[in-house]
Each structure stands twice: as structure tokens, then as C-alpha cells.
Amino acid sequence: ITRGRHPQIRQQMSTARRYWLVGTVILIFLTALGISIQILVASAFEAQRSQKNIAWAAAQLQIEFLQVHPAFSGYAAEARSVPAASIKTRLSIFKNRIRVLKQETDQTDLADDPIYDQLVADLESAIAPDSPVTRALASDDHALHRDALNQLARLDSPIRTWVQDIMLRSNPDRQKDSLVNAQLKAAAVMAVAILAGIALVVLLLRYIKRLEKAHEREREAREGP
């Protein structure tokens, strides 16, 4: 009797291992699905946070420009009302605002915007060591002062235009729409993954059942007359 039970016990153990395999596959699949969805949603939140940082940096750049430009006008006037040291301080802060804006923007898709590329090129040209603005701080040449004022004046419209565009992109309604789109994508990924997982489990179960039937036929053939 004991010997006769050995094949049956082995068969039960083999079946248990197969179902354990199915459970392991399901667990791995659900873990991978959860991680994928978490990454997708986290990316959406990170993009939203990055957009807010860019909007803040752009606003700070515009505010600083609105202080640099009139201050430089006072420095370049016939009756100088703003000392060179004050302009150097304001220009140093302005340079820092440009650096922060680039730091926040360069890692996003906004860095590929031609308008942004042109704006950064104009900003860096204005603060370059050989620019009229920089050279005017060490000179009393009124012609050079006019060139510097003209260079700063040309920055006004591009800065305003780009900052307005960034503010529109960071509008709460738009950010909400972007987040909803990300959640819809996550739901679509989840639905496709669940369907694929169900199909995989069904195929595994069918395969296990076929193996069980094959083993059952073999057992019956061995025990037959």
C-alpha cells in the first residue's frame, strides 16, 4: 500500500509546485505592475513640481531685470544718480537669476524650445565680460552707456513674453489636466497589464491541467490490466 501511494504523493507534490509557480508569477507580475504605475505617477508629480520651480525662477528673473534696467538708466544718465557699485551688485544678482533659471529649465523639455534658447543666448550676451553692459561699468563713455541701455532694452520684450508663456503653462488648470492625463495613462497601462497577466495565468493553468491529465492517463495505464 505504501509503495502504491508513492506515485500519488509525488503527483500531488508536483501539482502543488505548479500551482506555487502560478502564484509566484502572479506575485511578480503584480509587483512589477505596481512599480510601473508608481513610477509613472511619480514622474507626473515630478514634472508638475519642476514646472512650478521654473515658473518661480522665471518670475524672479523678470523681477530682477525690472530693477537692473532702471538702475542702469540712472547710472548712465548725465547726472548719475546710481553708483557703479550698486549696479555691479544688481548685475551680480541678475546673473545668479539667469543661472538658476537655466539650472531649473535645462533638465526639462522646455530646454528644447527655440524661444528659450534665444532668450538664454541674449541674456548671456548681455552679461558677457565683453558686452556693452559690462564694459560700461568701467567707463564714462556715454556712447558705450547708450549701447548698454539699448542692449538691456532689447531684453525686455523676450523676457516678458517667455515669462508669460511659462506662467500660462504652470496654470493650475493646465497642471490638473496634465496630472489627469498621467493618471489616465497609468490606468491604461494597468488595464493592459492586467489583461496580459490574466491571459498568462489562464495559459499556465491550462498547461498545468493538461499535464495533470497526461499524468493521470499514465497512472491509469500503469495500474491497468
Side-chain angles (χ1 to χ4, degrees), residues 114-134:
I115 298 177
Y116 169 74
D117 290 338
Q118 184 60 50
L119 173 62
V120 170
D122 292 341
L123 290 170
E124 292 183 333
S125 175
I127 62 175
D130 60 343
S131 71
V133 174
T134 303

Side-chain angles (χ1 to χ4, degrees), residues 21-22 24-30 192-208:
L21 174 63
V22 172
T24 302
V25 170
I26 294 174
L27 180 62
I28 294 173
F29 164 74
L30 291 177
V192 171
I194 288 175
L195 291 175
I198 290 174
L200 176 62
V201 170
V202 169
L203 290 175
L204 282 173
L205 290 174
R206 290 180 63 182
Y207 176 69
I208 290 173

